[in-house]
Amino acid sequence: MVQLGAKVWVVPGGHIPFGGTGPEPDFTSFDQLCVLNTTDSAAETTLLFYYQDTEPVGPYRIVVDARRIRHVRVNDLIDPEAVRLDRPYGCVLRSPVPVVVQFLRQDSRLPGVVALTGTMAHPVA
Amino acid sequence: MVQLGAKVWVVPGGHIPFGGTGPEPDFTSFDQLCVLNTTDSAAETTLLFYYQDTEPVGPYRIVVDARRIRHVRVNDLIDPEAVRLDRPYGCVLRSPVPVVVQFLRQDSRLPGVVALTGTMAHPVA
Amino acid sequence: MVQLGAKVWVVPGGHIPFGGTGPEPDFTSFDQLCVLNTTDSAAETTLLFYYQDTEPVGPYRIVVDARRIRHVRVNDLIDPEAVRLDRPYGCVLRSPVPVVVQFLRQDSRLPGVVALTGTMAHPVA
Amino acid sequence: MVQLGAKVWVVPGGHIPFGGTGPEPDFTSFDQLCVLNTTDSAAETTLLFYYQDTEPVGPYRIVVDARRIRHVRVNDLIDPEAVRLDRPYGCVLRSPVPVVVQFLRQDSRLPGVVALTGTMAHPVA
């Protein structure tokens, strides 16, 4: 299997919407990182979170098995500390093997409405 | 005609929304891959789907004729097996000739609402 | 002024939504190409449209003056022929000078709803 | 800390929606630039705005401290002049150190609705 992607990916525009409407977990507001590992080795990735007013926090550890995807809601990251809602952040994902990373936001703050936005993360190396 | 694009494209963040409202097929929830082949040869592309908990599934075969586009709803892929709704996936498209690939999601789970998101797929080689 | 961008840009996933609600032109459904020309020369760009079932159509000519932007609704392109609503297309923009191109869709088919999606176009050369 | 990103980023498709509904500032319509500076030096960035019918305006100065993010609403830029609502623009961000830039739009013109769209900005050098 050819290795696809990059070992470092950057998302500057993180911000989990505060509040949500509709049945959980499908309609919860969230930011999400979607990682694809096409290699034959598990990707033991680390995430570092950057903020407006304090030093970076991390590493958060996320394993993506060989030939697997993993879609991680940022809301669910709690170790070393929870990523707070309604707090702007950026993050950098580093992987020992090449992966591809996509960012998605679902905003359900308003009743009966879902807004979506996303982009491929920025690949570095 | 100059050849434009890459021969491998990656989308890590696939997830067809489960359920839809409004008249089909225009308002069905879907994930879509949009492929443009500017070359003078038919692009006999193959798609491989990656999941969280099982080995990759494929190849799915999609032909994009010379100097043509093709917009494929992932919902419509059934051979070798249907891509299930509400199941996270990633996919890799390979083409013998350079193409360009864009990803689009339409989410109509809530009555009277359509959400859209999309991004260019990640080009590899 | 440094020249920024590329001379060829590709959008595979075009599709002007059919129908719209709300006051025109602000709430019309549209696909849009946003071009930035930072150079000191006018960019006499050409657009070629690709379809699923017929040969490419064009060139459409769009001039972006030196140090200017131009946001063009695809709905407004009529020469050599109108780009029809609800017809999937892809397009390739070529410019004699480097430009940057972003794609945006506004979907107002449902009353009281606006959906947006967009992405940077794919740069080639 | 490895330096990540590029020193010039381009967004051609700016356009702050005119009007908004819902409580401010969370539900205001806005365009936003999200900048991540992973380096150990403050990034004293400058923004130049391009328009359809007049010479570029700037520089706008935005400092992003070392190892920090900054999410800037374009609505809030007032020096050397306010960026008007409902006026199409493009912009170029230049930084003395590598940064990564993401673009986001929130459109709340319609009551009870939020639309989102965004993309990574285009990196140049």
Side-chain angles (χ1 to χ4, degrees), chain D residues 47-119:
Chain D
L47 275 167
L48 195 60
F49 280 73
Y50 291 80
Y51 294 103
Q52 298 201 104
D53 51 5
T54 188
E55 287 296 306
V57 177
Y60 296 79
R61 301 186 185 282
I62 296 171
V63 178
V64 187
D65 289 335
R67 301 177 303 280
R68 296 290 186 277
I69 57 142
R70 192 151 168 204
H71 291 188
V72 178
R73 291 187 180 195
V74 177
N75 316 31
D76 293 336
L77 298 176
I78 56 173
D79 181 16
E81 69 176 40
V83 180
R84 296 207 313 266
L85 308 184
D86 201 24
R87 182 189 194 189
Y89 69 86
C91 62
V92 176
L93 181 143
R94 294 168 190 273
S95 171
V97 296
V99 296
V100 182
V101 178
Q102 190 174 341
F103 173 76
L104 179 70
R105 175 172 300 152
Q106 175 170 289
D107 179 340
S108 67
R109 290 174 295 168
L110 292 177
V113 176
V114 169
L116 296 174
T117 187
T119 180

Side-chain angles (χ1 to χ4, degrees), chain C residues 37-99:
Chain C
N37 174 15
T38 62
T39 77
D40 292 323
S41 306
E44 303 190 344
T45 74
T46 56
L47 275 167
L48 195 60
F49 279 73
Y50 292 80
Y51 294 103
Q52 299 202 103
D53 51 5
T54 188
E55 287 296 306
V57 176
Y60 295 79
R61 302 186 185 281
I62 296 171
V63 178
V64 186
D65 288 335
R67 303 177 302 281
R68 295 291 185 276
I69 57 141
R70 192 152 168 203
H71 292 187
V72 178
R73 292 187 181 195
V74 177
N75 316 31
D76 294 336
L77 298 177
I78 57 171
D79 181 17
E81 69 176 41
V83 179
R84 296 207 312 265
L85 308 184
D86 201 25
R87 183 189 194 188
Y89 69 86
C91 62
V92 176
L93 181 144
R94 294 168 190 274
S95 171
V97 297
V99 295

Side-chain angles (χ1 to χ4, degrees), chain B residues 1-5 9 26-27 34-38 66-71 100-102 104 106 112-120 123, chain C residues 8 10-14 50-56 88-92 94 103 105 107 109-110 113 115-122 124:
Chain B
M1 187 70 59
V2 178
Q3 295 190 342
L4 308 180
W9 292 83
D26 287 352
F27 288 97
C34 303
V35 185
L36 172 53
N37 174 15
T38 62
R67 302 177 303 280
R68 296 290 185 278
I69 57 140
R70 193 154 167 200
H71 291 188
V100 182
V101 179
Q102 190 174 341
L104 178 70
Q106 175 170 288
V113 176
V114 169
L116 295 174
T117 186
T119 181
M120 212 57 71
Chain C
V8 183
V10 184
V11 175
Y50 292 80
Y51 294 103
Q52 299 202 103
D53 51 5
T54 188
E55 287 296 306
Y89 69 86
C91 62
V92 176
R94 294 168 190 274
F103 172 77
R105 176 172 299 151
D107 180 341
R109 290 174 295 167
L110 292 177
V113 176
L116 296 174
T117 186
T119 181
M120 213 56 72
H122 178 68
V124 175

Side-chain angles (χ1 to χ4, degrees), chain A residues 47-123:
Chain A
L47 276 167
L48 195 60
F49 279 73
Y50 291 81
Y51 294 104
Q52 298 200 103
D53 51 5
T54 187
E55 287 295 306
V57 176
Y60 295 79
R61 300 186 185 282
I62 296 171
V63 179
V64 186
D65 288 335
R67 302 176 303 280
R68 295 290 186 277
I69 58 141
R70 192 152 168 202
H71 291 188
V72 177
R73 292 187 179 194
V74 177
N75 316 32
D76 293 337
L77 298 177
I78 57 171
D79 182 16
E81 69 177 40
V83 180
R84 295 206 314 263
L85 308 184
D86 201 25
R87 182 189 194 189
Y89 70 85
C91 62
V92 176
L93 180 143
R94 294 169 190 273
S95 171
V97 296
V99 295
V100 181
V101 178
Q102 190 174 341
F103 173 76
L104 178 71
R105 175 172 299 151
Q106 175 170 288
D107 180 340
S108 67
R109 290 174 296 167
L110 292 176
V113 177
V114 169
L116 296 174
T117 186
T119 180
M120 212 58 69
H122 178 69

Side-chain angles (χ1 to χ4, degrees), chain A residues 8 10 46-50 55-59 91-94 124, chain D residues 1-5 36-41 66-68 97-98:
Chain A
V8 182
V10 184
T46 57
L47 276 167
L48 195 60
F49 279 73
Y50 291 81
E55 287 295 306
V57 176
C91 62
V92 176
L93 180 143
R94 294 169 190 273
V124 176
Chain D
M1 187 70 59
V2 178
Q3 295 189 343
L4 307 180
L36 172 54
N37 174 15
T38 62
T39 77
D40 292 323
S41 306
R67 301 177 303 280
R68 296 290 186 277
V97 296

